[in-house]
């Protein structure tokens, strides 16, 4: 990596800003600001810093609508908002998806709109940690805060996730490297374990790497549980791991003072989905008969957890909540976004702070290409290509303040450091404006 | 006896919800009542006559005298027979999600395939599916730890993933093969699978019975061999042939029994 000169050309520093990228929500960043631009970011990892700084080139700056040739053309805010409200007011099966990269304050307005029109509201959990949420509903949540891990953990296990690439400061700030109250020597006082079929960057720096075979997670966890219950394993190799290694691993997991298991999409989206998490949670419960163990999902977007917490608090269900009958319903496969799109049910799709164009399976996107799509976002992306109406929002944590929830469910206030572009509007304002306009259309129709 | 025939004339890609059209509510409806009925579709209601031709014959004193026939492709008609307590529903075609969910009594027959959640949290009555069922047949509501607790589900084709999770009673018969984790978390009840099973039946089961007559590809470590039995009598059901009996899942101190056909699973002998 080439050496980069430190940035010295800036007007002032805004301290203690929060990174609006991954679920680690690092809230110790310093933004170097010059002429209403963030020209440098201190303390962030490369992912976070590049999102915050190199933001300008693909920024959506003006409201747009497709003309008769199918090209996006600039329009004024009133025209775009009225057209979007018209679509929503007249739809039979509207679906409002996204929300994970915006503030809780905006979600609040979104929920009001959803309830009013009888739509489905869903977030990225539907394609990432949804199975985790289901498993938590089934068997509980042996949760901690990341501060506890920092101060106490002497064994940290990552499975189905590669934080060195996806949550780069996770190990440095919370789990492995920092010196904690009971772990004064930091990294030297902790054992780092990775269970992953791949020799990932996290596995490379781990003390123990357990490469169980793909889709072998359920069988592997089941075997550890059986060993914990005193059973002798009958197969020589289980899920690709020799019997003795499983016994040794179980023994060392029993003999730590405080263990933390972090898991990612590698666990939630292999063969047994929510049942992988279900058995991992029960494994952690079993281990608590011997010592203290906790577990936490490695949430992706900075507020994907926030949406689940907010929805569960307000409506009793964490994601994929369907209001079409006037009351909330939640059923995986029935009220979840990708399933609805595959079944070709939605007739209007509103996407806010998400990129289904890049993340959804082809079949789901095919349906999006056939129905009106309204996009509220700050960047041009594959979803903009699918959108018929584009409403440019503002950048939470940089241009607009807001609340988010870190992966361990700690709420964090994200402050603003610079002013948003004059032609953009806050997400919260846009969603509220849609609500007011839809309400007006519906009331006039009565 | 009252026979109600609904014949599909227009397919809606947005699903119709049929939980109000069960014998319990419609036994005293005339043809006009059906013609005036608005069926929920998405966030709106539309006249049932937009989608169905309706015929009503005969009279009924109660739901038990009702026979409802749904003709055509019902693959976008959800909640057929939801919470019904008596009477009979026959679907001549495929059925959509939640067919027979929370059913209490009566019978539902699907002469085609069914989508996921057939007989979810069923308490009584019977469901027969001539084709295949998809995932989560006879399961619990998400987060609920009690699934199907009574009644009988008979599937002539194959079953998808996580059949009967958290089952706490009742009987399920699958004629064909079955995907992963059949009977996961089950606490009571009887599951019989005629064909092959991919992996891990009975994961974390506490009690209950699973019988597999075909080949099992992968058994969990949490099961302990209890020997071979010839022509066993399992919960009053006489099986023929040799069966290997396992007890599990040890991970949860389970006392469930898993029976595997010995001939088809010689590798485990
Ligand atoms: S680890 Fe995540 S939250 Fe922290 S700076 Fe990097 S991208 Fe941002």
């Amino acid at each position: 990596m080439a050496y980069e000169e430190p940035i010295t050309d800036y007007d002032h520093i805004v301290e203690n800003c929060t990174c609006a990228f991954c679920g680690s929500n690092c809230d110790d960043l310093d933004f170097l600001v010059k002429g209403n631009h963030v020209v440098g970011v201190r303390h962030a990892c490369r992912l976070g810093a590049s999102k915050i700084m190199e933001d300008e080139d693909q920024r959506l700056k003006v409201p747009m609508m497709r003309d008769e040739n199918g090209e996006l053309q600039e329009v004024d805010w009133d025209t775009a908002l009225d057209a979007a409200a018209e679509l929503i007011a007249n739809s039979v099966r509207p679906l409002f998806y996204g929300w994970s990269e915006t503030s809780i304050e905006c979600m609040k307005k979104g929920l009001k709109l959803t309830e009013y029109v009888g739509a489905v509201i869903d977030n990225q959990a539907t394609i990432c940690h949804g199975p985790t949420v289901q498993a938590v509903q089934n068997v509980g949540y042996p949760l901690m805060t990341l501060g506890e891990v920092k101060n106490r953990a002497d064994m940290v296990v990552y499975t189905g996730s590669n934080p060195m690439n996806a949550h780069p400061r996770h190990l440095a700030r919370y789990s492995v490297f920092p010196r904690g109250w009971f772990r004064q020597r930091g990294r030297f006082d902790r054992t780092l374990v990775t269970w992953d079929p791949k020799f990932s960057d996290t596995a490379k720096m781990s003390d123990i790497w357990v490469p169980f075979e793909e889709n072998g997670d359920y069988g592997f966890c089941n075997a550890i549980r059986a060993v914990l219950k005193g059973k002798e394993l009958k197969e020589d190799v289980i899920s690709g791991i020799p019997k003795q290694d499983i016994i040794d691993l179980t023994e060392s997991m029993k003999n730590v003072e405080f263990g933390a298991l972090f898991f990612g999409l590698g666990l939630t989206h292999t063969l047994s989905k929510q049942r992988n998490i279900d058995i991992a949670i029960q494994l952690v419960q079993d281990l608590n008969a011997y010592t203290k163990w906790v577990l936490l999902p490695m949430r992706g977007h900075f507020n994907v957890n926030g949406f689940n917490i907010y929805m569960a608090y307000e409506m009793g269900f964490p994601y994929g909540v369907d209001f079409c009958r006037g009351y909330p319903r939640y059923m995986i496969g029935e009220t979840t976004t990708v399933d609805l799109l595959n079944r070709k049910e939605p007739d209007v799709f509103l996407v806010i702070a998400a990129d289904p164009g890049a993340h959804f399976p082809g079949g789901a996107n095919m349906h999006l290409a056939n129905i009106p799509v309204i996009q509220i976002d700050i960047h041009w992306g594959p979803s903009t290509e699918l959108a018929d109406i584009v409403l440019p929002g503002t950048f939470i944590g940089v241009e607009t303040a807001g609340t988010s929830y870190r992966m361990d469910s700690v709420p964090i206030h994200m402050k603003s450091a610079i002013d948003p572009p004059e032609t953009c509007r806050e997400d919260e304002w846009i969603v509220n404006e849609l609500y007011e306009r839809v309400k007006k259309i519906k009331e006039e129709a009565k | 006896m009252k026979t109600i025939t609904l014949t599909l004339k227009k397919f809606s890609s947005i699903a119709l919800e049929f939980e109000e059209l069960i014998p319990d509510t419609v036994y005293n409806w005339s043809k006009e009542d059906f013609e005036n009925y608005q069926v929920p579709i998405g966030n709106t209601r539309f006249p049932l006559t937009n989608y169905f031709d309706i015929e009503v014959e005969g009279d009924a004193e109660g739901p038990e005298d009702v026979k409802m026939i749904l003709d055509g492709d019902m693959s976008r008609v959800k909640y057929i027979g939801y919470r019904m307590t008596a009477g009979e529903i026959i679907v001549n075609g495929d059925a959509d999600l939640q067919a027979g969910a929370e059913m209490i009594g009566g019978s539902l027959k699907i002469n085609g395939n069914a989508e996921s959640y057939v007989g979810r949290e069923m308490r009584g009555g019977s469901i027969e599916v001539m084709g295949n069922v998809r995932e989560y047949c006879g399961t619990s509501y998400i987060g609920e730890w009690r699934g199907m607790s009574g009644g009988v589900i008979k599937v002539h084709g194959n079953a998808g993933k996580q059949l009967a999770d958290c089952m706490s009673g009742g009987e399920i018969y699958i004629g064909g093969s079955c995907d992963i984790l059949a009977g996961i978390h089950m606490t009571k009840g009887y599951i019989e699978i005629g064909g092959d099973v991919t992996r891990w039946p009975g994961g974390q089961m506490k009690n209950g019975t699973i019988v597999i007559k075909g080949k099992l590809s992968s058994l969990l470590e949490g099961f302990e061999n209890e020997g071979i039995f010839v022509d066993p009598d399992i919960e009053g059901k006489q099986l023929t042939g040799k069966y290997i009996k396992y007890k599990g899942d040890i991970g949860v101190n389970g006392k469930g029994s898993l029976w595997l056909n010995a001939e088809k699973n010689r590798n485990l002998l």
Side-chain angles (χ1 to χ4, degrees):
Chain A
M1 209 181 291
Y3 173 72
E4 283 174 30
E5 291 289 336
I7 296 159
T8 50
D9 183 18
Y10 57 88
D11 300 338
H12 64 281
I13 300 180
V14 185
E15 288 181 340
N16 298 328
C17 295
T18 307
C19 175
F21 189 83
C22 82
S24 302
N25 295 37
C26 299
D27 54 354
D28 57 346
L29 312 190
D30 292 349
F31 290 174
L32 312 182
V33 178
K34 183 174 193 236
N36 204 39
H37 286 290
V38 180
V39 293
V41 181
R42 284 188 186 149
H43 309 150
C45 71
R46 286 197 155 240
L47 292 177
S50 66
K51 181 172 175 193
I52 292 159
M53 287 188 319
E54 289 153 28
D55 158 59
E56 289 307 309
D57 52 338
Q58 298 197 336
R59 186 68 193 258
L60 291 168
K61 287 202 169 135
V62 288
M64 290 184 286
M65 280 172 65
R66 293 218 180 259
D67 62 13
E68 55 281 8
N69 301 323
E71 299 290 332
L72 282 174
Q73 301 293 355
E74 181 179 343
V75 292
D76 60 51
W77 271 100
D78 268 328
T79 315
L81 286 168
D82 282 337
E86 194 71 39
L87 284 172
I88 294 170
N90 294 320
S91 63
V92 174
R93 197 83 171 113
L95 171 52
F96 304 157
Y97 169 82
W99 312 99
S100 299
E101 300 215 328
T102 186
S103 60
I104 300 286
E105 291 78 0
C106 174
M107 291 173 200
K108 207 166 160 182
K109 304 281 188 232
L111 184 56
K112 199 165 151 198
L113 175 67
T114 308
E115 225 182 324
Y116 183 68
V117 297
V120 178
I121 188 165
D122 200 2
N123 84 326
Q124 281 94 326
T126 201
I127 50 167
C128 65
H129 273 286
T132 307
V133 180
Q134 294 163 42
V136 165
Q137 284 175 286
N138 263 56
V139 289
Y141 202 5
L143 172 81
M144 76 309 201
T145 62
L146 290 166
E148 281 180 83
V149 177
K150 172 179 156 175
N151 284 322
R152 294 168 191 271
D154 56 345
M155 181 180 267
V156 177
V157 180
Y158 286 98
T159 176
S161 81
N162 180 11
M164 282 309 287
N165 293 172
H167 301 77
R169 291 185 75 210
H170 197 270
L171 286 90
R173 190 157 191 251
Y174 304 113
S175 65
V176 179
F177 292 100
R179 294 168 188 214
W181 187 255
F182 300 106
R183 302 286 166 244
Q184 294 283 345
R185 297 185 307 144
R187 174 73 178 92
F188 304 107
D189 284 349
R190 310 183 204 259
T191 312
L192 174 59
V193 185
T194 307
W195 305 345
D196 207 316
K198 285 191 198 149
F199 192 46
S200 63
D201 284 343
T202 312
K204 281 176 201 161
M205 56 180 293
S206 300
D207 303 306
I208 303 171
W209 173 44
V210 185
F212 56 63
E213 65 193 18
E214 275 179 47
N215 292 330
D217 5 31
Y218 192 89
F220 174 72
C221 291
N222 189 276
I224 298 186
R225 293 190 73 196
V227 174
L228 280 174
K229 292 270 149 71
K231 191 207 166 198
E232 192 159 333
L233 300 178
K234 45 182 189 297
E235 307 270 337
D236 292 333
V237 176
I238 298 135
S239 297
I241 305 297
K243 174 160 112 178
Q244 193 55 42
D245 287 6
I246 293 185
I247 296 168
D248 293 348
L249 177 71
T250 312
E251 203 51 39
S252 55
M253 287 170 79
K254 266 161 69 176
N255 290 322
V256 297
E257 287 174 356
F258 188 108
L261 174 68
F262 294 98
F263 63 93
L265 302 191
L267 210 62
T268 61
H269 279 285
T270 49
L271 190 63
S272 353
K273 305 254 167 160
Q274 84 272 36
R275 296 306 175 196
N276 285 331
I277 317 306
D278 170 331
I279 198 160
I281 293 173
Q282 298 203 27
L283 168 61
V284 165
Q285 288 169 353
D286 290 351
L287 282 163
N288 274 289
Y290 301 94
T291 180
K292 176 76 182 164
W293 269 85
V294 288
L295 148 152
L296 193 74
M298 299 287 283
R299 304 307 299 265
H301 303 286
F302 70 91
N303 211 6
V304 62
N305 191 23
F307 180 91
N308 298 146
I309 290 178
Y310 173 68
M311 284 307 291
Y313 178 72
E314 287 285 342
M315 288 300 152
F317 300 122
Y319 68 101
V321 189
D322 184 356
F323 286 90
C324 75
R325 300 292 295 276
Y327 50 89
R329 288 190 301 181
Y330 158 69
M331 186 55 80
I332 307 307
E334 185 184 342
T335 65
T336 38
T337 304
V338 175
D339 304 278
L340 282 167
L341 290 172
N342 282 341
R343 288 162 59 88
K344 303 198 188 328
E345 287 206 33
D347 55 352
V348 167
F349 189 82
L350 175 122
V351 48
I352 171 163
D355 199 353
H359 302 149
F360 278 5
N365 274 338
M366 219 139 76
H367 186 60
L368 284 185
N370 295 331
I371 58 168
V373 175
I374 303 159
Q375 185 192 26
I376 304 174
D377 212 330
I378 54 174
H379 289 125
W380 197 291
S383 297
T384 317
E385 303 297 334
L386 290 167
D388 301 282
I389 300 174
V390 177
L391 305 167
T394 56
F395 197 160
I396 308 287
V398 180
E399 297 164 357
T400 307
T403 311
S404 65
Y405 282 78
R406 200 165 69 183
M407 60 168 74
D408 56 347
S409 308
V410 171
I412 288 177
H413 175 71
M414 307 172 78
K415 54 165 116 166
S416 68
I418 57 175
D419 297 325
E422 255 174 41
T423 46
C424 297
R425 298 283 184 274
E426 287 175 8
D427 296 1
E428 191 185 339
W429 181 89
I430 299 173
V431 177
N432 189 49
E433 202 58 30
L434 286 175
Y435 169 75
E436 296 294 345
R437 286 171 202 238
V438 168
K439 197 169 164 198
K440 197 162 154 240
I441 295 170
K442 291 240 178 200
E443 263 160 29
E444 274 168 14
K446 270 185 204 161
Chain B
M1 187 75 192
K2 185 175 204 163
T3 310
I4 300 158
T5 314
L6 302 180
T7 312
L8 190 79
K9 60 178 180 188
K10 192 173 118 195
F11 185 84
S12 159
S13 77
I14 303 175
L16 283 67
E17 299 190 15
F18 253 43
E19 84 277 5
E20 290 162 351
L21 296 179
I22 54 170
D24 303 71
T25 48
V26 302
Y27 72 91
N28 53 4
W29 284 22
S30 64
K31 191 167 183 217
E32 287 70 55
D33 292 326
F34 279 99
E35 282 166 354
N36 293 333
Y37 176 71
Q38 307 242 337
V39 61
I41 300 179
N43 59 15
T44 322
R45 279 175 181 260
F46 293 96
L48 187 64
T49 46
N50 287 4
Y51 299 93
F52 288 95
D53 287 326
I54 300 153
E55 266 175 59
V56 181
E57 270 170 39
D59 284 309
E61 291 291 304
E64 57 286 348
D65 294 337
V66 174
K67 180 177 186 177
M68 283 182 74
I69 302 172
L70 309 180
D71 274 332
D73 180 6
M74 302 293 147
S75 60
R76 282 293 179 279
V77 179
K78 299 194 287 193
Y79 295 95
I80 297 171
Y82 178 72
R83 283 197 185 159
M84 69 189 272
T85 64
E88 186 183 359
I89 301 181
I90 299 170
V91 182
N92 291 318
D94 293 349
D96 200 8
L97 294 156
Q98 315 269 9
E102 297 181 40
M103 195 164 153
I104 296 162
S107 77
L108 168 65
K109 184 172 184 193
I110 298 165
N111 288 314
N113 299 323
E115 253 286 346
S116 305
Y117 296 112
V118 170
R120 166 177 67 78
E121 289 176 284
M122 179 176 181
R123 283 191 268 158
S126 71
I127 301 177
E128 186 171 10
V129 182
M130 301 310 288
N132 304 325
V133 294
R134 299 238 352 234
E135 295 18 300
Y136 303 110
C137 172
T139 60
S140 60
Y141 190 84
I142 301 141
E144 174 58 63
W145 52 274
R146 287 153 300 198
M148 171 173 175
S149 56
V152 180
I153 301 179
K154 206 172 212 173
V155 178
H156 293 265
N158 306 326
K161 296 188 173 71
Q162 298 187 27
L163 172 77
D165 87 10
C166 305
M167 183 177 189
S168 57
E171 296 177 5
I172 298 184
Y173 297 86
I174 307 291
S177 62
C178 183
D179 208 339
I180 60 164
L181 292 170
I184 178 167
H185 283 296
M186 81 188 269
T187 50
K188 212 174 159 195
Y190 180 82
I191 303 176
E192 189 179 302
I193 300 163
D196 298 343
V197 175
T198 52
R199 299 186 192 204
W200 308 324
Q204 300 162 75
M205 75 190 282
K206 289 213 177 75
N207 215 326
T209 308
I210 305 177
V211 176
I212 298 174
K213 294 182 167 173
K215 181 160 173 52
L216 171 65
S217 306
S218 175
L219 175 71
L220 285 168
E221 278 293 338
F223 284 84
E224 249 171 14
N225 193 324
E226 295 212 316
I228 296 177
F229 295 77
V230 182
D231 299 340
D233 181 337
I234 305 167
E235 292 190 14
K237 287 158 197 85
Q238 181 72 48
L239 300 179
T240 46
K242 279 189 195 157
Y243 280 83
I244 320 172
K245 185 182 179 193
Y246 288 91
K247 194 177 121 196
D249 183 338
I250 291 181
V252 288
N253 297 325
K255 292 174 191 64
S257 52
L258 174 65
W259 299 79
L260 301 182
N261 184 327
E263 282 305 317
K264 298 268 175 64
N265 295 287
R266 298 192 77 96
N267 56 320
L268 293 170
L269 287 173

